[in-house]
Amino acid sequence: MSSADIYREIILDYYRNPRNYGKIQDPDIAQRDSNPLCGDELEMHLNIKDDKVADVKFTGKGCAISQASASMLTELILGKDFEYVKKLTKEDILDNLGLHDLGPARIKCALLSLKVLKSGLYSYLVDKLHDTASADKIKEESSGLY
Amino acid sequence: MQTSFINIENIRNDFPILKRMVHKNKPLVYFDNAATTQKPIQVIEAISNYYLNYNSNIHRAVHELAEEATLAYEATRDKIAKFINVKNREEIIFVRGTTEAINLVAYAWGRQNINKDDIIVTTEYEHHSNIVPWQLLAKEKGAKLEYIGVDDNGELILDHLDAYLKTGKVKIVAFSQMSNVLGTITNSEEIVKRCKAYGVRVLIDGAQSVPHLKVDLQKLDCDFFAFSAHKMLGPTGVGVLWAKKELLQEMVPFNGGGDMIREVHKYETTWNDLPYKFEAGTPNIADVIGFAAALDYLNNIGMDKVREHEMELTKYALDKLSQIKGIVLYGPKDVAKRGGVISFNLGDIHPHDLATIIDEDGIAIRSGHHCAQVLMERLDVSATSRASFYIYNTKEEVDVFIRSLNRAKELFKL
Ligand SMILES: Cc1ncc(COP(=O)(O)O)c(C=O)c1O
């Protein structure tokens, strides 16, 4: 994929004007991760109410791909059913970004946000819902993310 | 095609990889030399010649192949002794690289000599390999790790060193002779002088200096010195720890095993002589032999010429880069104070995005924290882009690089 295709107007816009940037006070889910190779950082906060994503915010530092990906992911899941969020796949994220055929190094940037989200869901399912079966399923499904 | 100092055309012909295209039809512009350099055909052939003609283990067998291999392996040691001007060849220990050399010192010297409340001093512009081993040691011993700060020009603040030395608790000062991010050449002799006045040991990380500057360890008079072959035309997996004989003799071995012993009994072992006491097991014979060809290559050019070429190229690049609107350049402005390493940020383009874009034009640079996160914090950035030069790089390549940076600006609408 050429950089003219990667760095389209929309990606740059989400990079420079990230939607849902910030933190939630006392969130149901708070998850942070970084990419040790490049130092990109990402933290996501979610509130779950009536089995829906009632609120979601993120903060982070990193490249246009990782930051736009995180911001677009928050928009994608806000107001959605919890079940939908549990089932999100890598392809969903890349479709949403309109990014395909990224090299192996840059695909990690695009998927950091999904990795953070899935780890957050895992802890939430285990610690708050005591639903280890669903948690294990998520863990298994996201093992190929990186 | 060349600076006034070396014949680049001839040099480039010795590096087969420089003829390849990347991204289908773009000539490779390799500006990631601070990470690792390319290898000339002479080095590649020296390695394959060993495997083709005299592959054998060294030091023990008496057959002809073993003798040839041992001679070639030991010849590298002599060449290194000359290259960095040390008197005693047995003070040169082969290791895997700078990282292993520093870990060896932190383990084998540090555990015997660092105690609770002692101070270990390093600097804010160190590579992680000159921070983490000391952190581990400090934690284990209850010692303190302190940092010499970096000023806005990218140079060390030596007043900090004086303040630590005055406590009387400093046992070792460890610093790099050239920063792998800022390119700053450390005022090493001055630091050694100040440390000596307090009887403090000095370790110098020469990973970035030995490949680019003439280094004279007798003049420098430090206690430990480390560098890697792969950053100076040599193969990966070979590095050097040099240390003063008295220190090596007192130190405990790092690894136990074959080759490092004199006599092994059931419950007791006596150590082999230097340097073998620190070279346990079968070493990286082929690559040590290949390293000799790299040293020959650099000697043929002359380290003064290498330095002059890089200074001219760096000055050319800095002049051109500073004309780009929105660029932030890190490190000393004066090329006499720096090597051919240029870190920068361009507008709000993240270094990874920048590296991706210019890679399309065939240009290989590094982006990220460069294993120097303490320095990134000091510079208050999460990452930088870094271009670093070597003997085969040209002004024409710098022009390609500048054009590509301007293309990145356009893509990012800057
Ligand atoms: C200043 C400095 N020190 C240490 C190292 C580590 O060298 P190596 O990875 O060869 O052990 C490097 C290279 O990455 C470096 O630039």
Side-chain angles (χ1 to χ4, degrees):
Chain A
M1 172 160 221
S2 82
S3 52
D5 295 327
I6 299 174
Y7 301 105
R8 287 162 295 132
E9 195 100 32
I10 181 158
I11 300 284
L12 295 181
D13 185 39
Y14 273 85
Y15 172 52
R16 290 189 170 128
N17 312 294
R19 282 49 144 194
N20 300 320
Y21 194 88
K23 297 187 172 177
I24 297 174
Q25 284 239 315
D26 299 320
D28 293 325
I29 299 176
Q31 188 69 39
R32 175 181 187 287
D33 203 353
S34 59
N35 179 341
L37 294 178
C38 59
D40 282 5
E41 291 169 15
L42 198 65
E43 181 161 343
M44 284 183 98
H45 290 175
L46 281 88
N47 272 338
I48 309 290
K49 237 181 233 124
D50 304 327
D51 274 335
K52 283 194 187 337
V53 179
D55 199 4
V56 52
K57 295 246 186 293
F58 83 99
T59 50
K61 282 194 287 196
C63 65
I65 298 175
S66 77
Q67 301 304 298
S69 157
S71 185
M72 289 167 92
L73 177 61
T74 61
E75 284 196 332
L76 185 68
I77 62 175
L78 184 63
K80 292 275 171 46
D81 287 343
F82 193 46
E83 280 309 307
Y84 168 83
V85 178
K86 273 171 25 187
K87 289 204 193 96
L88 271 180
T89 65
K90 164 175 157 176
E91 286 70 31
D92 294 334
I93 302 299
L94 297 175
D95 282 346
N96 190 43
L97 282 165
L99 294 179
H100 299 277
D101 307 318
L102 285 172
R106 301 315 305 275
I107 204 158
K108 291 195 169 86
C109 307
L111 295 179
L112 179 62
S113 55
L114 184 63
K115 188 178 177 229
V116 170
L117 177 66
K118 294 274 176 171
S119 322
L121 289 179
Y122 177 85
S123 308
Y124 180 72
L125 285 163
V126 173
D127 300 340
K128 303 230 165 114
L129 305 184
H130 308 292
D131 180 359
T132 42
S134 303
D136 286 344
K137 198 153 161 256
I138 286 194
K139 197 173 193 178
E140 196 189 308
E141 284 166 1
S142 50
S143 68
L145 267 184
Y146 258 49
Chain B
M1 182 75 174
Q2 62 189 71
T3 55
S4 29
F5 304 103
I6 56 185
N7 185 334
I8 298 199
E9 215 125 8
N10 286 353
I11 287 176
R12 288 183 71 88
N13 277 331
D14 286 331
F15 290 79
I17 206 169
L18 297 179
K19 296 190 179 76
R20 73 162 278 184
M21 300 285 150
V22 288
H23 294 287
K24 290 204 186 84
N25 58 1
K26 301 284 174 7
L28 171 66
V29 174
Y30 187 78
F31 281 177
D32 195 15
N33 292 289
T36 197
T37 64
Q38 298 304 341
K39 322 302 173 200
I41 189 69
Q42 290 84 343
V43 168
I44 299 166
E45 281 174 352
I47 295 166
S48 58
N49 184 37
Y50 161 74
Y51 283 126
L52 288 169
N53 294 308
Y54 59 103
N55 172 59
S56 140
N57 212 328
I58 52 169
H59 291 150
R60 281 173 300 262
V62 293
H63 54 76
E64 179 158 325
L65 297 194
E67 226 144 72
E68 285 176 20
T70 304
L71 279 176
Y73 180 88
E74 291 301 330
T76 307
R77 207 186 303 273
D78 293 319
K79 285 191 173 150
I80 292 166
K82 241 179 152 174
F83 197 81
I84 54 178
N85 193 26
V86 304
K87 268 201 222 121
N88 305 312
R89 68 187 305 279
E90 65 271 27
E91 294 175 336
I92 286 163
I93 316 282
F94 286 119
V95 290
R96 272 195 304 145
T98 307
T99 304
E100 190 175 64
I102 298 171
N103 276 280
L104 194 162
V105 175
Y107 181 93
W109 179 87
R111 289 167 119 212
Q112 281 182 317
N113 290 282
I114 302 288
N115 297 304
K116 194 170 176 323
D117 298 327
D118 283 346
I119 296 177
I120 300 163
V121 176
T122 183
T123 87
E124 281 182 342
Y125 65 46
E126 293 315 300
H127 188 277
H128 293 163
S129 61
N130 205 13
I131 292 178
V132 182
W134 304 118
Q135 275 178 354
L136 290 170
L137 177 64
K139 285 229 169 80
E140 184 183 321
K141 295 291 188 172
K144 256 169 93 180
L145 183 58
E146 300 281 10
Y147 289 83
I148 301 174
V150 174
D151 69 17
D152 291 339
N153 196 34
E155 296 181 72
L156 294 180
I157 304 169
L158 294 192
D159 289 353
H160 293 176
L161 171 66
D162 295 337
Y164 299 134
L165 288 174
K166 276 191 194 124
T167 64
K169 292 187 172 164
V170 179
K171 286 285 155 69
I172 188 164
V173 174
F175 64 90
S176 62
Q177 200 173 10
M178 189 198 288
S179 158
N180 69 319
V181 177
L182 303 170
T184 315
I185 298 170
T186 309
N187 191 350
S188 305
E189 283 174 45
E190 180 59 30
I191 296 182
V192 173
K193 202 177 92 195
R194 292 187 197 188
C195 289
K196 293 282 126 158
Y198 286 85
V200 169
R201 299 288 178 204
V202 178
L203 176 141
I204 299 182
D205 171 351
Q208 294 296 338
S209 56
V210 178
H212 305 280
L213 309 170
K214 194 169 217 155
V215 169
D216 181 338
L217 288 196
Q218 287 189 48
K219 212 165 125 207
L220 209 46
D221 197 28
C222 58
D223 298 290
F224 303 100
F225 192 90
F227 61 102
S228 302
H230 71 94
K231 291 179 195 289
M232 48 192 299
L233 309 180
T236 54
V238 177
V240 170
L241 169 68
W242 170 87
K244 286 190 174 150
K245 202 150 81 183
E246 319 82 90
L247 293 169
L248 289 172
Q249 276 161 346
E250 283 166 14
M251 280 156 62
V252 290
F254 184 44
N255 292 317
D259 242 8
M260 50 80 71
I261 49 90
R262 174 166 302 283
E263 280 177 40
V264 178
H265 305 286
K266 253 187 177 168
Y267 303 107
E268 207 124 349
T269 293
T270 48
W271 312 133
N272 199 344
D273 294 335
L274 294 173
Y276 310 109
K277 174 179 161 189
F278 291 99
E279 291 180 6
T282 301
N284 188 350
I285 303 165
D287 293 314
V288 165
I289 289 170
F291 188 25
L295 293 167
D296 289 344
Y297 198 94
L298 289 171
N299 279 330
N300 277 341
I301 297 173
M303 288 311 290
D304 291 337
K305 292 266 168 44
V306 170
R307 172 68 178 142
E308 283 163 10
H309 167 72
E310 286 179 18
M311 270 173 84
E312 186 171 320
L313 203 55
T314 305
K315 184 170 183 338
Y316 183 79
L318 283 173
D319 284 348
K320 293 255 163 164
L321 284 166
S322 56
Q323 287 164 28
I324 298 179
K325 244 175 102 181
I327 202 162
V328 178
L329 293 163
Y330 304 99
K333 309 267 175 303
D334 179 359
V335 289
K337 289 186 166 180
R338 68 184 297 157
V341 176
I342 303 178
S343 278
F344 63 95
N345 266 303
L346 183 53
D348 68 350
I349 310 178
H350 191 278
H352 290 135
D353 296 317
L354 187 80
T356 296
I357 294 169
I358 74 171
D359 170 56
E360 272 179 350
D361 296 324
I363 303 160
I365 61 161
R366 188 50 76 94
S367 60
H369 54 60
H370 317 292
C371 295
Q373 283 185 309
V374 171
L375 179 62
M376 294 296 116
E377 244 169 64
R378 163 64 183 86
L379 298 175
D380 200 20
V381 294
S382 60
T384 70
S385 298
R386 180 186 73 185
S388 51
F389 310 129
Y390 212 21
I391 47 175
Y392 35 70
N393 291 125
T394 67
K395 289 181 181 171
E396 286 75 9
E397 288 180 317
V398 172
D399 293 338
V400 173
F401 172 55
I402 299 288
R403 275 199 295 279
S404 189
L405 292 179
N406 281 313
R407 188 174 79 83
K409 271 183 79 174
E410 275 165 34
L411 272 174
F412 264 69
K413 317 221 158 31
L414 288 175

